[in-house]
Amino acid sequence: MAQWTSAVGAAQLARLLNSQQERPAGPGSRRPPAYRALADGIRLLVLEGRVPVAARLPAERELALSLSVSRTTVAAAYEALRGEGFLESRRGAGSWTAVPAGNPVPARGLEPLPPESLGSMIDLGCASLPAPEPWLTRAVQGALEELPPYAHTHGDYPAGLPALRAMIAERYTARGIPTMPEQIMVTTGAMGAIDAICHLFAGRGERIAVESPSYANILQLMREAGARLVPVAMAEGLAGWDMDRWRQVLREAAPRLAYVVADFHNPTGALADEDQRRRLVDAARAAGTVLVADETMSELWLEEEVGESRMPRRVCAFDPAGSTVITVGSASKAFWAGMRIGWVRAAPDIVRSLVAARAYADLGTPVLEQLAVNWLFSTGGWEQAVALRRAQARENRDALVTALRRELPDWEFAVPQGGLTLWVRAGGLSGSRLAEMGERTGVRVPSGPRFGVDGAFEGYVRLPFTVGGAVAEEAAVRLAAAARLVETGGTGAAAESPRTFVA
């Protein structure tokens, strides 16, 4: 029986490999042989999770044709990978990717760093902050006080607790968007919400338009669901959406769904203005496309000039009939990633369909966590907790920006007014190789291609505002050390052993 569980076509692998920038040749250094460069490129794709482990690679002749190299070059590269433990082969079954013994299996998304690694590795992979205490403890205590009546029931609420659905609806109504509880479904985080929406609207092979770049975990979720992703390039800097491109894609590709993050976009931090929101909703309606608006970052404004009263209206405010926009919200970004409570706001018939489909998915969301979020909403604790979160993110952002400008002055970025992430052009270096070398210098950073389609954004990295003070300064020092290793092809003097930090 074959040992591989998926396959990568020659054309697809060639696109991924061609997207990788060649690392600059340092003084006196020599360009590696073609087979070595090919082996390094495939190994890097496996380590990043962009080519999965146990994926069957194309035959030597097929890949040679796609890359316009000799079959001998591909054969030598495959042999080098076998010797390093990154490839296994068997006559009649082909060759498939692997990882050497002792190496962790790469994740397909941006998974949190294991707790045992937190002492020596600075984690810039996961855009999440510690809980804003004492509000987490108070919310759980409040939930426990409200729990007894629910403990006498079956505890199964596929649409969510009625009290929390009513509270979320009331919050939308207070923002000038009339909403009934029947328009709300509580989910297990925003990921659970978007997964349910994709399964309802976009079956295998359906087109989904996505911002380019976009949130890596959502892109991977859609790939796993079998969707055909149609990227729409963002405007430069923090300008938000390029509406000419959006209108063209929606008109010509007619995607079933479109996924957007209008509020402090992940990863760029851009904030779409009201005119862009209105025009995008109109274009989606005209194309018959369902627009999924991810507003998980909407309350994380970090400057007073874009405070609550000055933020653009929510995307769903431009769809009064409720026929085009589905809104996804969550407590995980604004409050705490460990609070896995999300929600969908949509037309009642869509909510009913989502709830009906839930019987074959996760059945429902934990009652205790729903009660905790309801306590925060109903007592004013949410506003005070999110204010703490904003202050912490603002302080971290400013510390990271200062450190980057000092240690890596050639790197380019625009400082966003909200959100949790900085989108950085890495001075002409490969983001994939920076991520690889960062593991050696003690800083974990996701490369740009994770946020794109088919290898885009190789020259970028995403840096979240998750560390501040001395840790942010040390993170920039380690990134600079990783950059030097990339510039010398990984053969320069390695950085000192990373110091242990307790963030």
Side-chain angles (χ1 to χ4, degrees), residues 365-429:
T365 305
V367 170
L368 188 63
E369 291 186 29
Q370 292 187 72
L371 289 172
V373 172
N374 192 58
W375 183 93
L376 287 166
F377 285 158
S378 62
T379 63
W382 176 266
E383 285 70 24
Q384 296 184 65
V386 173
L388 288 176
R389 170 67 76 243
R390 292 192 196 106
Q392 185 179 13
R394 184 187 307 114
E395 181 179 337
N396 288 355
R397 179 199 63 184
D398 294 347
L400 183 61
V401 165
T402 298
L404 287 173
R405 285 175 172 164
R406 182 182 64 247
E407 300 293 336
L408 293 154
D410 292 338
W411 288 19
E412 302 171 52
F413 52 85
V415 181
Q417 294 180 303
L420 288 172
T421 58
L422 202 63
W423 185 237
V424 181
R425 183 183 283 116
L429 301 180

Side-chain angles (χ1 to χ4, degrees), residues 22 26 74 82 106-107 143 146 200 242 247 287 310-311 335 376 483 493:
E22 291 186 5
V74 177
R82 278 189 286 270
E146 298 292 331
L200 181 63
D242 184 323
R247 279 197 302 271
R310 301 183 183 181
M311 282 284 290
F335 185 74
L376 287 166

